[in-house]
Every structure is written in C-alpha cells, then in structure tokens.
Amino acid sequence: MHVVIAPDCFTGTLTAQQAAEAIASGWREAAPHDLLTLLPLSDGGPGFLEVLGAAFPQAETLASTVADPLGREVPAALTLVDLDGRRTAYLESAQAAGLHLLDADERNPAVTSTWGVGQLLDVALAAGATRIVVGLGGSATNDGGAGLLAALGAGPEGALARGGLALAELSDDALAGLHEVRQRFAGVELVLATDVDSPLLGLQGASAVFAPQKGASPELAQALEGALGRYAEVVRRTVPEPTDLLTGKPRRLDKEPGAGAAGGLGYALYLLGGTRVSGVEEVLRAVGFRDLAAAADLVVTGEGCFDWSSLQGKVVAGVAATALETATPSVVIAGQTLVGRREAMTLGLSGTYAVAETPAQLEAAMADPVGTLRARAVRVAATWSPSR
C-alpha cells in the first residue's frame, strides 16, 4: 500500500516536516510493509519556503538579514529558481513579519511593521527576479503593508513604518514616492499566495478579524480600522484606481479578496500590481501533488486544528479536493477536530481523526506533540492499512 503523508504545520507545536515525520513513524510501527511518501505542505504561511525548497532541488537559496516586526535584525532567505525561462523568487513574509518572531508580551499590532518584507522584495529585484511569489500568513502586523512600501522608497520611514496605529496621522503626501516604486515593479509578475480572502477594511477585514489574534483589544482593533481607512484614503489621493475591464468603473483595491491578508500586506502588494492565487494551490502545483495522489492508495493530511476555517483555502481542503479528483481516499489527523463528519465529507475526506478529544488529552498533546501524534497515527494505520 502506497501512502502519501502530506500535512500542514501544527501551529505552535510542529512544523509540517516534523508532523509528517511523526505520522510516518507511527504508521511504520503499525504497517511496516507500506510505502510512505512524505510531503510536508504549506498554504503560504510559515514553512512556505521550506516546502518549496524541497520541491525545487535545483533552486538557489539567497540568504539575507532583514528587520523583524519590531525592527530587530533577523535572518531570512528567498528561493530562486528558473521556471519556464523566467527567474522566479519565492518569499515567505512570515520570515520578516511573523508572529512567531515575537514573545507573547511583545505582540502589539499597533506598533509592528512590515518593513522587513519590503527588504526581501528589494533582494528579489536585485537578484533579477521577473516573477515574485510572496507567501502570506502568520503575521504579527496590521499596517496594510505601509512598512513594506516605506522600505521600497514610497515614503518616509517615520510615517509609514511605525506600525498600524500611526497611519491615522498620515499626511496627504506621505506616499509621494509610490509612483516610482510601482514603476520598479512594472515588468515583474507579483503574486500573492494566501489562504485569506478578506478585504482590507470592514467587518471581515484585517483589523476586525485578525488583529485580535495578534494581541489587539477590541478598542485597539477599532482604532486600527480607522488608521487603515486613513491610509487607504492617502493611497487614493496618490495613485489613480485601476479600471475594471468588465464594468469600466474604478476598482477599489482595498476591497479586493486577499487585501486584508497578513494584516493588509496583500493590499500593498496589490498596489504594486500583484495578483492573488490560493497559497495551497500554488504549493500543490509546485510539488506535483496531483500526480503523487493519483499514484497512491491513500493520502493522509493534517493540521493543528481542523475547524471551520479549514474548509476553505487551507492545506487540508486543497489536499482533499485534489485527492477527490484523482479518486484517492484521503483522511486527516489533526490535533483537534471541530468539524462534523458531514462537513468533512463535503471536502471529500474519508475520515477525520483527532489527537486530543478531551482537555486532559489536549494538555498531553501540547506537552508531547510528537509522541501523541505518532500514537494517533499508529491507530489510524491499523484501521486503513491491510494486514499481512
């Protein structure tokens, strides 16, 4: 029996690679005769580059040092690969703006900046990339990508790179250099790879939905919404809105799906001419997942918490949909499962298995994520792998 093990990271406990190895270890104990293919995945957030680096063994890794969300130097990298005659650069925004870079008491989206992501884009341009794919997810920021634009020369650091809350004080000319920055990207295909389709503003926007996850109180989230509103107003005063080719009317980039991704980082990339793709679909194409699934007898995926957000745009959904197209059964092993069987079946999943089903089991899973995931995989393998 050929089993493809293709999990996402288990956020806060295991990387996708660690999760795949833990599942494989348990599977081998119960079914040592099975052929296992380990395929760690990402939807654009943390682990994006690690996954793509494995998919492109011929790729070049370009190391750099950039600013973290609070301006401290951190190591980062981008992956360069020649595809179809084009030099493509893959970036992971979380390397510069990730929530994991901050201690719990440092998380404050009022002051965190995406300056370091702009530095990574600068490195990609200097390396001659004509296609740049930016994985968005796991950010600690809520600045609408203003810090990114400042790092590229769109406006003063003091106005744009002090975090989301300072954007409320922007002057009308704060983005005077945006025209020149947009010209630098005129010949570049810029791609946003994200699982988030939220707009920049509103009840489903960056501040309302995601700022609380980054340490914002309800009052701060509301203040950040107002600050991003001012920022969008300054943008509209600075550059003309593009025209919708179907309606002939101006197209509001702040309302585009994905503009609110990574605290509004998607909005800044749209301003530079970016287009959006599903992060997990980009990864699945790169690693050749469809062919692997078609040749397998079973696909096992996984993530930390299989919940309602998993049903759209996440690794589990992408894996299940592709496996369904190839008529390959797929199951998910998750730290927790909060989705009912009927909803899971709509994705095409043939089974859902939780590592932790009680508070005591959850505590044990957090204390020993590898051991508990491995133990769960043993039981799943005993169910799905034919005995000999």
Side-chain angles (χ1 to χ4, degrees):
M1 180 170 174
H2 181 194
V3 182
V4 173
I5 299 175
D8 195 358
C9 65
F10 281 52
T11 304
T13 57
L14 299 173
T15 66
Q17 181 67 42
Q18 290 170 333
E21 290 172 353
I23 294 171
S25 177
W27 202 279
R28 291 189 184 103
E29 179 178 330
H33 50 277
D34 285 352
L35 170 64
L36 305 184
T37 298
L38 276 62
L39 192 70
L41 296 175
S42 168
D43 56 20
F48 184 62
L49 280 197
E50 182 180 8
V51 168
L52 291 172
F56 300 121
Q58 77 278 22
E60 173 189 353
T61 298
L62 191 57
S64 184
T65 300
V66 300
D68 80 353
L70 294 177
R72 301 168 299 202
E73 289 190 344
V74 292
L78 53 85
T79 296
L80 291 168
V81 61
D82 292 322
L83 296 173
D84 301 324
R86 304 185 64 184
R87 194 151 175 79
T88 297
Y90 290 96
L91 281 64
E92 183 180 315
S93 64
Q95 288 193 343
L99 193 64
H100 69 283
L101 298 173
L102 306 181
D103 292 335
D105 60 357
E106 294 178 323
R107 296 176 179 179
N108 181 359
V111 299
T112 48
S113 170
T114 53
W115 178 277
V117 186
Q119 292 177 303
L120 279 174
L121 282 174
D122 226 357
V123 172
L125 289 177
T130 57
R131 182 174 186 261
I132 302 175
V133 182
V134 184
L136 300 180
S139 78
T141 55
N142 200 92
D143 72 346
L148 174 153
L149 296 177
L152 294 170
E157 178 181 354
L160 297 170
R162 292 190 293 125
L165 197 58
L167 300 177
E169 305 167 5
L170 288 184
S171 62
D172 287 348
D173 62 350
L175 288 163
L178 184 55
H179 292 282
E180 288 73 18
V181 175
R182 284 157 58 94
Q183 289 174 1
R184 291 179 64 194
F185 284 86
V188 176
E189 181 187 355
L190 187 60
V191 180
L192 302 65
T194 178
D195 66 323
V196 173
D197 60 4
S198 299
L200 180 67
L201 303 170
L203 294 177
Q204 301 301 318
S207 302
V209 177
F210 302 109
Q213 302 172 10
K214 305 170 186 183
S217 65
E219 293 77 17
L220 177 55
Q222 187 173 1
L224 288 168
E225 174 77 3
L228 288 183
R230 170 58 184 166
Y231 168 56
E233 178 185 357
V234 173
V235 168
R236 289 193 294 272
R237 291 174 180 269
T238 306
V239 295
E241 294 176 333
T243 301
D244 188 299
L245 297 179
L246 294 177
T247 66
K249 297 180 180 178
R251 184 162 60 94
R252 289 278 298 271
L253 294 181
D254 58 292
K255 294 185 177 181
E256 287 290 300
L265 190 54
Y267 177 58
L269 297 176
Y270 275 132
L271 291 173
L272 301 181
T275 56
R276 175 179 174 265
V277 299
S278 162
V280 67
E281 289 179 7
E282 180 77 14
V283 169
L284 292 178
R285 280 194 297 270
V287 302
F289 177 74
R290 184 183 180 87
D291 290 342
L292 286 172
D297 299 299
L298 177 69
V299 173
V300 180
T301 186
E303 63 177 338
C305 185
F306 180 49
D307 59 16
W308 295 105
S309 67
S310 307
L311 302 180
Q312 295 182 341
K314 297 286 189 178
V315 164
V316 169
V319 166
T322 304
L324 185 63
E325 292 171 1
T326 62
T328 307
S330 63
V331 300
V332 58
I333 305 176
Q336 290 181 282
T337 298
L338 305 179
V339 174
R341 181 180 178 183
R342 179 179 298 177
E343 289 75 17
M345 290 177 65
T346 63
L347 291 181
L349 290 167
S350 299
T352 59
Y353 303 93
V355 173
E357 298 177 338
T358 67
Q361 290 176 344
L362 180 59
E363 184 177 349
M366 296 300 291
D368 182 15
V370 171
T372 52
L373 179 57
R374 180 182 181 279
R376 191 56 166 137
V378 170
R379 300 196 298 274
V380 176
T383 298
W384 282 90
S385 182
S387 60
R388 287 187 176 179

